[in-house]
Amino acid sequence: MSPSTILTLLTNITRNTRFTLTTNYSTMSATKKTRTHPPYELLYWPSIPGRGEFIRLAFEASGVSYKDTSNESKDGINAVLACKADDLTIDSDGNPPAFAPPALRVPGEGKNGKALVLYQTPSILAYLGDKLGLAGEDEAEKHWILSHALTVLDLNNEVHDTHHPIAVGKYYEDQKEEALKKATDVRENRIPKFLGYFERILKGNEQGKGKYLVGGKLSYADTTLWHVLNGLKFAFPKEMEAREKEFTLIFETFYPSVQEENGLKEYLVSDRRQPYSMGIFRHYPELDRQ
Amino acid sequence: MSPSTILTLLTNITRNTRFTLTTNYSTMSATKKTRTHPPYELLYWPSIPGRGEFIRLAFEASGVSYKDTSNESKDGINAVLACKADDLTIDSDGNPPAFAPPALRVPGEGKNGKALVLYQTPSILAYLGDKLGLAGEDEAEKHWILSHALTVLDLNNEVHDTHHPIAVGKYYEDQKEEALKKATDVRENRIPKFLGYFERILKGNEQGKGKYLVGGKLSYADTTLWHVLNGLKFAFPKEMEAREKEFTLIFETFYPSVQEENGLKEYLVSDRRQPYSMGIFRHYPELDRQ
């Protein structure tokens, strides 16, 4: 059987059945784009970007509709609390509880046609990446995209720890002294290490022309990096202003380009984009470069 | 076309071509098990378990051979250093650099039949999980397994931070005061939160009979959780001895069962299993329960 015969056959199969096929053929992505999407539900805390934002950006960039449950319905918060309830061992659809939000609920895609519930930001992004066409063109790109997104999310965690280095359950005011030490290290050593890495990735990916981390089109690694850069600019404006000159591909090409992408551009000026407040990215002037 | 006809067809295709198909049919796993594996190479620091251990356990549990490059060859460390070199933008096979080890090199599976190089522990586990038959029976299980592994690796990071809460680039001795505060919070609040979560997951997964987090067979979520439990027992022996009574499914069923699994049992007593020393899990008596 020739590759093109196999491809035609597979295309017909994917069009006519419910199960998902993923292959290394980039031409398959056309099929994925046109499929009908289930009514995705994001389960996350209301009123903050938080880790839910990485999921929102994937949906907004792909133009696929989703319900931002706790922001869109009055009692939506109950669904968030329910999926992570301390006494939950398994839900009525056969899903394990979430350790913490965000979670993604996908009606019809779980066991026996019930709702599927996934948790953990990178796992949700890996799942959605395939469905939304934001996970590259082949298996290599798919895994590089996941790896880069994981690295950005590691940076996201380190930024969170600048105001909570000792205990996530305590107030910033109870760990200010340690926070200053942690923030100093993150600003002076960790941020330049991460930015230097992504500057090199952009440089190495010629096909992306500085606009994409992997290949020649937008992926969830790009939207994830964009949001952390945006959050860093909010949290550490002086530090980032100084750093921008060091990482020109990131700040002169990648950053402005991603926020002009179809879907993202409209979203970022809409009232669906939540302002930063007391979440991961917080602006404490004393933690910024002095 | 009937599902069984499609299945037969797909089975023949996967046997005869190089590209990878993943479907929701659990019966496909038999095909995956019998395929010939490429000569996998783990790129990680020598002489410590570290984050490389999560990859080693996946290989050992599945009985698939791999080269532990830096431990098996005298100049293997050079390959580890090369994949993360500070001036690398793209390697000669078209792979991006690793942000940090571990990385996985898979000859023949990259772009144009060249070597594929992946980095980030969860991304490598997601890739290998499919290939080694450690990623469940369908798409729901596959994503739950990734989600649980990510949660275990979050705990792994928090345990690392008990001795390095302020700066990863400084010595423990330079942050002992903060380490004591961090370790106290992790022991008193975070470890029981994570253990309580996994106790509930084991309880909710009736098919696993307390032995598996997802479904009725071993996954890389199980091997990953097992290693962190083992590391916690080394780092905080008094704390863990006290906690064992609270989480009986984990410590009386799951933990002893996983270490008796084929492949793991032999590995854990072999000299390939590196001892804990100055890596993620360190035994500082002053940080343990007093």
Side-chain angles (χ1 to χ4, degrees):
Chain A
M1 222 181 318
S2 77
S4 69
T5 314
I6 295 169
L7 183 60
T8 308
L9 190 62
L10 289 174
T11 308
N12 289 337
I13 292 171
T14 53
R15 281 190 180 135
N16 295 315
T17 63
R18 288 282 292 169
F19 64 87
T20 304
L21 289 170
T22 60
T23 83
N24 283 343
Y25 282 102
S26 59
T27 39
M28 290 297 286
S29 60
T31 315
K32 286 181 187 167
K33 275 276 186 189
T34 54
R35 59 180 269 170
T36 307
H37 289 280
Y40 296 110
E41 297 168 28
L42 170 64
L43 302 175
Y44 193 68
W45 306 122
S47 309
I48 57 166
R51 288 184 173 82
E53 195 64 11
F54 302 109
I55 317 299
R56 287 188 201 100
L57 290 179
F59 281 120
E60 299 286 349
S62 61
V64 171
S65 68
Y66 64 105
K67 184 175 181 182
D68 191 346
T69 310
S70 73
N71 282 315
E72 287 179 30
S73 61
K74 205 177 146 192
D75 55 358
I77 185 72
N78 294 334
V80 181
L81 294 169
C83 80
K84 64 169 284 294
D86 280 347
D87 59 352
L88 183 64
T89 57
I90 190 163
D91 76 7
S92 57
D93 291 333
N95 296 284
F99 181 77
L104 180 74
R105 190 167 178 277
V106 196
E109 298 291 324
K111 296 274 189 184
N112 306 312
K114 295 184 174 177
L116 174 66
V117 181
L118 300 177
Y119 77 105
Q120 272 278 2
T121 306
S123 184
I124 296 170
L125 288 173
Y127 177 86
L128 285 178
D130 281 343
K131 315 286 184 193
L132 306 180
L134 294 172
E137 301 284 356
D138 57 27
E139 198 179 24
E141 292 190 2
K142 176 175 161 169
H143 282 87
W144 294 333
I145 288 164
L146 176 56
S147 303
H148 294 334
L150 285 159
T151 302
V152 178
L153 292 169
D154 282 348
L155 172 58
N156 187 67
N157 286 346
E158 294 196 26
V159 172
H160 169 271
D161 289 353
T162 60
H163 49 78
H164 277 78
I166 300 297
V168 71
K170 289 183 179 167
Y171 291 108
Y172 164 63
E173 287 70 20
D174 298 327
Q175 46 198 313
K176 279 186 78 168
E177 198 181 319
E178 297 87 355
L180 183 57
K181 290 185 189 176
K182 179 75 173 180
T184 304
D185 182 68
V186 168
R187 283 193 297 96
E188 293 181 357
N189 300 306
R190 303 298 289 170
I191 289 174
K193 183 177 165 75
F194 280 96
L195 294 183
Y197 176 75
F198 288 113
E199 183 84 2
R200 282 190 285 132
I201 297 298
L202 288 171
K203 197 174 284 178
N205 179 33
E206 284 186 20
Q207 206 189 340
K209 298 186 169 63
K211 301 194 296 187
Y212 309 116
L213 290 166
V214 175
K217 64 177 203 132
L218 191 76
S219 74
Y220 69 80
D222 299 318
T223 53
T224 299
L225 176 58
W226 184 89
H227 178 62
V228 170
L229 294 171
N230 185 259
L232 282 170
K233 282 165 168 276
F234 171 81
F236 304 117
K238 290 184 185 169
E239 181 67 37
M240 295 308 284
E241 195 187 344
R243 294 286 180 198
E244 287 191 10
K245 298 160 198 132
E246 293 172 48
F247 308 103
T248 54
L249 212 45
I250 290 179
F251 290 104
E252 289 175 17
T253 304
F254 175 83
Y255 186 83
S257 163
V258 170
Q259 69 183 9
E260 286 298 313
E261 287 277 339
N262 282 339
L264 289 182
K265 186 178 180 175
E266 297 74 16
Y267 168 68
L268 292 172
V269 296
S270 76
D271 58 9
R272 295 197 303 288
R273 171 84 170 169
Q274 302 290 335
Y276 296 111
S277 54
M278 294 301 278
I280 295 160
F281 297 105
R282 304 184 183 187
H283 179 50
Y284 293 118
E286 65 273 23
L287 299 186
D288 198 1
R289 187 185 281 220
Q290 298 302 307
Chain B
M1 219 181 319
S2 76
S4 69
T5 314
I6 295 170
L7 183 60
T8 307
L9 190 63
L10 289 173
T11 307
N12 288 336
I13 292 171
T14 52
R15 282 190 179 134
N16 294 314
T17 62
R18 289 283 291 172
F19 63 88
T20 304
L21 291 169
T22 60
T23 82
N24 283 343
Y25 282 102
S26 58
T27 40
M28 289 297 286
S29 59
T31 314
K32 286 180 186 166
K33 275 275 183 187
T34 54
R35 60 180 268 170
T36 306
H37 291 279
Y40 295 110
E41 297 168 28
L42 170 64
L43 302 175
Y44 193 68
W45 306 122
S47 309
I48 57 166
R51 287 182 175 82
E53 194 65 10
F54 302 110
I55 317 300
R56 286 187 203 101
L57 291 179
F59 281 120
E60 300 285 350
S62 60
V64 171
S65 68
Y66 64 105
K67 184 176 179 181
D68 191 346
T69 309
S70 73
N71 282 316
E72 288 180 29
S73 62
K74 203 176 147 192
D75 56 357
I77 185 73
N78 294 334
V80 182
L81 294 169
C83 80
K84 63 168 287 290
D86 281 347
D87 59 352
L88 182 65
T89 58
I90 189 163
D91 76 8
S92 57
D93 292 332
N95 296 285
F99 181 78
L104 180 74
R105 191 167 177 277
V106 195
E109 297 292 325
K111 295 273 190 186
N112 305 312
K114 294 184 175 179
L116 174 66
V117 181
L118 302 177
Y119 77 105
Q120 272 278 3
T121 307
S123 185
I124 296 170
L125 288 174
Y127 177 85
L128 286 178
D130 280 345
K131 314 288 184 191
L132 307 181
L134 294 172
E137 302 283 357
D138 57 27
E139 198 179 22
E141 292 191 0
K142 177 175 160 167
H143 282 86
W144 293 333
I145 288 164
L146 176 57
S147 302
H148 294 333
L150 286 159
T151 303
V152 178
L153 292 168
D154 282 348
L155 172 57
N156 187 67
N157 286 346
E158 294 196 26
V159 172
H160 169 271
D161 289 353
T162 58
H163 49 78
H164 278 79
I166 299 298
V168 71
K170 288 184 179 165
Y171 291 108
Y172 164 63
E173 286 70 21
D174 297 328
Q175 47 199 313
K176 279 186 77 166
E177 198 181 319
E178 297 88 354
L180 182 57
K181 290 184 189 177
K182 179 74 172 181
T184 304
D185 182 66
V186 168
R187 283 193 297 98
E188 293 180 356
N189 299 306
R190 303 298 289 170
I191 289 175
K193 183 177 165 76
F194 280 95
L195 295 183
Y197 175 75
F198 287 114
E199 183 85 2
R200 282 189 286 131
I201 297 299
L202 287 171
K203 197 174 285 179
N205 178 34
E206 284 186 19
Q207 208 190 338
K209 298 186 169 63
K211 302 195 295 186
Y212 309 117
L213 289 166
V214 175
K217 63 177 204 135
L218 192 78
S219 75
Y220 68 80
D222 299 318
T223 53
T224 299
L225 176 57
W226 184 88
H227 179 62
V228 171
L229 294 171
N230 185 258
L232 282 170
K233 282 165 167 276
F234 171 80
F236 304 116
K238 288 182 185 169
E239 182 67 37
M240 295 308 284
E241 196 188 343
R243 293 287 179 198
E244 287 192 13
K245 297 160 199 132
E246 292 172 49
F247 307 103
T248 52
L249 212 45
I250 290 180
F251 290 105
E252 290 175 16
T253 303
F254 176 83
Y255 186 83
S257 162
V258 170
Q259 70 183 9
E260 288 295 314
E261 287 277 340
N262 283 338
L264 289 183
K265 185 178 179 176
E266 296 75 16
Y267 169 67
L268 292 173
V269 295
S270 76
D271 59 8
R272 298 198 303 288
R273 171 82 170 172
Q274 302 290 334
Y276 295 111
S277 54
M278 294 300 279
I280 295 160
F281 296 105
R282 305 184 183 186
H283 178 51
Y284 293 119
E286 66 272 25
L287 300 184
D288 198 1
R289 186 185 283 219
Q290 300 302 307

